[in-house]
Amino acid sequence: MVSSKKRDVWRQSLSAMKASLESSYKFKTVVQEETRLIDGLTTAKKDYIVFSGYRRNAGRRRLDDVKSVIDAALERIECCESEEASRIYLETLKAVTMQTRWASILEKLTKYDHVLH
């Protein structure tokens, strides 16, 4: 019975993490795009407005990658012993942390992408 409760907690935690990452992604994307649009409309220097970029394209793919890692962990947790499920949960947390850090770094680097071309 204890392992069933632990399993439920791990599943709920991973599901909440997935939902949080998705809602955070959507919110930050909307804010970034609206900010770019407003900046573009108020700045007379440019003859074009860039309001969609990394977050909408590659950022979305990275989010989908993280979600698939979480989904795979949710499936694997269901089919194994408590000790193995615990290991899967911790590995998933580490993988999600690493992927979100890389995504953050890549997103920051895209600010300079237009300068290089």
Side-chain angles (χ1 to χ4, degrees):
M1 188 66 164
V2 173
S3 66
S4 175
K5 288 181 182 180
K6 287 180 184 179
R7 211 179 298 271
D8 289 343
V9 169
W10 293 325
R11 279 195 312 264
Q12 290 172 358
S13 174
L14 291 174
S15 295
M17 181 189 314
K18 180 180 165 184
S20 175
L21 287 169
E22 181 135 37
S23 64
S24 175
Y25 165 82
K26 288 178 181 179
F27 177 74
K28 288 178 181 179
T29 301
V30 168
V31 168
Q32 184 185 63
E33 288 176 351
E34 287 180 1
T35 302
R36 284 181 170 186
L37 181 61
I38 291 168
D39 288 346
L41 293 173
T42 58
T43 304
K45 297 176 187 176
K46 296 182 181 179
D47 56 350
Y48 63 92
I49 300 170
V50 177
F51 66 92
S52 182
Y54 173 85
R55 289 193 69 80
R56 183 61 65 182
N57 300 310
R60 181 67 192 186
R61 284 191 299 274
R62 294 199 184 282
L63 174 67
D64 290 343
D65 290 345
V66 170
K67 287 171 38 180
S68 69
V69 167
I70 294 171
D71 288 340
L74 288 170
E75 288 178 18
R76 290 174 55 207
I77 284 175
E78 196 63 40
C79 308
C80 56
E81 298 295 322
S82 180
E83 185 177 319
E84 177 70 11
S86 174
R87 187 185 60 74
I88 291 168
Y89 176 76
L90 291 174
E91 286 176 358
T92 304
L93 292 180
K94 290 177 185 179
V96 168
T97 300
M98 183 184 70
Q99 287 186 349
T100 53
R101 284 181 182 167
W102 273 112
S104 175
I105 290 168
L106 292 172
E107 185 177 342
K108 288 176 183 173
L109 290 175
T110 61
K111 293 178 184 177
Y112 306 106
D113 188 42
H114 68 282
V115 176
L116 300 174
H117 296 287

